[in-house]
Amino acid sequence: SSLNPPPLRSLLYFGGYTEGWAVYVEQYAYTLAGLDPALARVKQLDHSIQLCLYSLLDIMIHYEGLTIDKMKQLLSGNQVVNEDVAQQIYDIMIEEPANYLKYYVGYLEICRLRTRAEDTLGDKLVLKEFHEFLLTIGPAPFSIIEEREDIWIQDILSLLL
């Protein structure tokens, strides 16, 4: 908001960007927390797997019709959670369809944008500048952010020549 975006931008909501950024920052923070790098990576992967699992369950419930009994069987049969926890997860999914998808898919999209920048710029990429680019763009559809990223990358490359 410090960039004074047009008022219309305050009416639009891009949950994938907003919640994806929040997950990205949480994941990135593990590398800054002073943890042993291996432990930080385990925590990142654990968080990512949990969000992935919830996203898959959300799709299975709302698109494929997964019942609570089948879900309990699936989760407790693989010793992921006990039946009470499975019931709690199911209730959350029923109350807010597609909620976890905006977190996880948004996070994956931001990771994909970062990978594109890393692949193109290599060691010329300054991560702080990538983060500033994302925050300056602000909430928007990822297709638009990707187009702007192409321009941003080309601007960096032209400065290096």
Side-chain angles (χ1 to χ4, degrees), residues 11 25 33 75 77 81 138:
L11 297 175
V25 169
L75 295 178
V81 297

Side-chain angles (χ1 to χ4, degrees), residues 114-132:
R114 178 176 167 172
T115 299
R116 289 177 78 236
E118 289 171 340
D119 289 349
T120 306
L121 296 172
D123 62 354
K124 306 291 188 253
L125 176 67
V126 177
L127 203 49
K128 180 181 177 191
E129 291 175 7
F130 171 74
H131 295 155
E132 287 175 351

Side-chain angles (χ1 to χ4, degrees), residues 16-33 35 40 43-44 47 51 102-104 106-111 114 127-128 130-132 134-135:
Y17 172 94
T18 304
E19 303 305 345
W21 175 254
V23 172
Y24 175 84
V25 169
E26 288 175 42
Q27 296 286 64
Y28 185 65
Y30 285 120
T31 66
L32 305 173
L35 299 172
K43 289 185 172 290
Q44 287 173 324
H47 189 212
L51 288 173
K102 66 185 169 196
Y103 288 87
Y104 196 59
Y107 164 69
L108 293 176
E109 283 292 314
I110 291 171
C111 289
R114 178 176 167 172
L127 203 49
K128 180 181 177 191
F130 171 74
H131 295 155
E132 287 175 351
L134 278 177
L135 292 172

Side-chain angles (χ1 to χ4, degrees), residues 6 19 26 28-29 31 34 36 47-48 57 67 71 87 89 102 105 111-112 124 127 130-131 142 149 151-152:
E19 303 305 345
E26 288 175 42
Y28 185 65
T31 66
D36 174 89
H47 189 212
S48 185
L57 289 172
T67 65
M71 189 178 128
Q87 181 69 54
I89 293 169
K102 66 185 169 196
V105 173
C111 289
R112 186 182 62 79
K124 306 291 188 253
L127 203 49
F130 171 74
H131 295 155
F142 285 107
E149 182 183 42
I151 296 166
W152 176 75

